[in-house]
Amino acid sequence: MYVGSLTLDLLLGDIRSLKQKRSVIRPIVAEVQRRFPGVAVAETGSHDLHRRAEIGVAVVSAQAANCDEVLNACERLVAGRPEIDLLSARHRLFNDED
């Protein structure tokens, strides 16, 4: 069994309040969940910053290659959003021996 995690650090556009931030982040999280129903996704950090956000994605699979493929597709989906800049993406892979 393999567990893959992806942490995305995002810079948001012209955001001036946490309410505006949520209106940008919620659709991104919802789209990842809709396109990849087998993953878990949530806003995981930078909750009090207006223009920064961290999104975490996790997937479980029997094959490491499948984990990597799904996480790469999630990263491409989020990076393609015009209203955000992807500052960094960190992939991690765990297996049952870790």
Side-chain angles (χ1 to χ4, degrees), residues 3-94:
V3 178
S5 72
L6 171 65
T7 304
L8 301 168
D9 186 14
L10 309 176
L11 178 64
L12 307 176
D14 187 27
I15 302 295
R16 298 190 180 165
S17 70
L18 292 176
K19 187 175 181 179
Q20 284 181 318
K21 175 184 177 179
R22 302 289 177 255
S23 71
V24 172
I25 296 300
R26 277 191 192 139
I28 293 171
V29 169
E31 184 176 3
V32 172
Q33 287 175 331
R34 184 178 54 80
R35 291 239 185 130
F36 304 97
V39 304
V41 60
E43 183 180 2
T44 56
S46 302
H47 295 288
D48 294 333
L49 301 174
H50 295 129
R51 295 196 60 220
R52 294 288 294 271
E54 181 182 277
I55 294 178
V57 181
V59 63
V60 177
S61 178
Q63 299 172 346
N66 187 50
C67 279
D68 210 31
E69 180 181 319
V70 170
L71 294 177
N72 285 333
C74 290
E75 181 182 345
R76 284 191 305 273
L77 176 67
V78 174
R81 301 288 294 231
E83 68 271 21
I84 59 123
D85 290 319
L86 180 61
L87 298 178
S88 69
R90 185 178 69 196
H91 292 249
R92 297 180 75 194
L93 187 64
F94 306 93

